[in-house]
Amino acid sequence: MAKSDVKVLGAWPSPFVMRPRIALNLKSVDYEFLQETFGSKSQLLLQSNPVHKKIPVLIHGDKPVCESLIIVQYIDEVWTSGPSILPSDPYERAIERFWAAFVDDKLFPSLRLMRGAEGEEKKAVVEQLTESLVLLDEAFEKCSKGKPFFGGDGIGYIDIALGSILGWLRVTEKISRVKLLDEAKTPRLVKWADRFCADGAVKDVMPETDKLIEFNKMLMAKMKGAPPNQ
Amino acid sequence: MMAEEVKLFRSWSSPFPLRVIWALELKGIPYEVILEDLSNKSSLLLHYNPIHKKVPVLVHNGKSIAESLVILEYVEETWKQTPSLLPEDPYERAMERFWAKFGDDKVLPSLWNVFIKQGKDQEEAMVPAQENLTYLEELLRGKNFFSGERIGFLDLAFGWLANMVSVFEEVMGATVLDNQKLPSLSAWMKNFMDAPIIKESWPPRDKLITKHQALRQAHIEKEAPK
């Protein structure tokens, strides 16, 4: 299939954009990465995702697929010759979907709340985040069954969902001066994180923490200067 | 073959367990209902859904699954008999998943936001709610059901609209879904409401009205200027 048959609309700092890129890499599918300019939305994006106007969007042929985890499932179902991202057993699939939803519905929103949080509020958010990460650490034990990833021998659905957040997790640790992934509380996740970031499907799309910190500085400056309701 | 044991934790009023009930009934899967009082959750519920402590929870041969849309996909993948709930084509499946998520992330919260407000606040809340409903109208154009010719995953995901919109409208004394502007959606709501199996499942309307009157009152009192 020609490279231009598969496009990902996105931006390098976005954890959600990483997800389809990792999935396509796992399946050895060539794709064109079309980056949005920060602060504006391209015509292609507005046409492909008129409902949410957000990245990532996968464009396969001329068909757009939106919402990062839905895109990952789509990739898994279309490119069946590559390694499976979701397991075949329905119960195991349900567990993976449950934890991926947990990352998006509980973990990521808490991470966002860290931005600008101070004092008591910060303490409460850190507690929430730690609780969530400890639950995921326990889930790792159950899902991996002694293997290197949530998905077993290779990267799977939860690995992609959670792993894509690692960049921003590390940025938050540095900027807010807290330890979130911790050898004492989340020992399995600490080791897993290193394995995930080193994986061939991940390392070229995982942004460096320093670059993300620079990007975050720019984001903060823009937000401070932006008019209300932006 | 081991006898199947299927249990479903639900509350009398929550629309999310209904999705699972519809799926199980449509596929003819026998199941046992465990009715929860959400103000006094059973230790069994907390055991099976320790993380969210919510309904629905499906317990199949001792293994528990939570989150209604996750459970729907589990039911579809485990019990492959007809009717199939999701289409075969991956793109069509992605579309159904996208719109189901849109329903839970946007449609429901925006309608709730109209329901708990009054006056100018409610007027403002109407705008995004009606925009969201218009997307559903466009989705349905030319089709009997969201999933096509018969009830499927997306209809089950949106099913709560069929009875809850009229409950909201009756309690708040205002219309959010204009039948004239949204004819396909109105027709779907009627069809779904009265569909075989579905029509037997609705919680008692008078109880729903009473419950939601209390909920709306509580929200309005909370927001009232002191």
Side-chain angles (χ1 to χ4, degrees), chain A residues 66-157:
Chain A
C66 307
E67 296 296 305
S68 62
L69 291 178
I70 293 175
I71 300 172
V72 171
Q73 289 185 79
Y74 174 81
I75 290 169
D76 201 31
E77 290 172 7
V78 168
W79 286 281
T80 49
S81 57
S84 292
I85 294 172
L86 275 161
S88 51
D89 175 69
Y91 181 68
E92 289 178 19
R93 290 162 76 86
I95 298 299
E96 300 242 345
R97 285 177 173 134
F98 174 88
W99 286 111
F102 181 83
V103 170
D104 281 0
D105 297 343
K106 287 255 152 38
L107 186 69
F108 193 71
S110 298
L111 200 60
R112 293 200 77 174
L113 283 177
M114 282 296 291
R115 183 170 281 166
E118 287 172 7
E120 281 308 309
E121 192 197 336
K122 179 173 164 179
K123 246 171 123 186
V125 179
V126 170
E127 229 179 85
Q128 240 174 47
L129 269 171
T130 306
E131 213 180 279
S132 297
L133 288 167
V134 167
L135 285 170
L136 282 158
D137 191 83
E138 288 164 6
F140 180 81
E141 170 90 349
K142 292 206 186 99
C143 295
S144 64
K145 302 187 195 51
K147 301 220 170 133
F149 297 104
F150 283 92
D153 288 313
I155 283 177
Y157 195 66

Side-chain angles (χ1 to χ4, degrees), chain A residues 183-196:
Chain A
E183 280 84 7
K185 298 202 179 116
T186 59
R188 302 162 188 131
L189 286 187
V190 169
K191 296 204 181 85
W192 162 84
D194 287 339
R195 286 194 293 269
F196 180 81

Side-chain angles (χ1 to χ4, degrees), chain A residues 163-187:
Chain A
S164 55
I165 309 285
L166 284 170
W168 283 101
L169 199 81
R170 287 172 174 157
V171 168
T172 305
E173 283 181 325
K174 272 214 166 119
I175 293 182
S176 303
R177 284 182 294 272
V178 289
K179 219 164 197 296
L180 296 168
L181 280 186
D182 183 277
E183 280 84 7
K185 298 202 179 116
T186 59

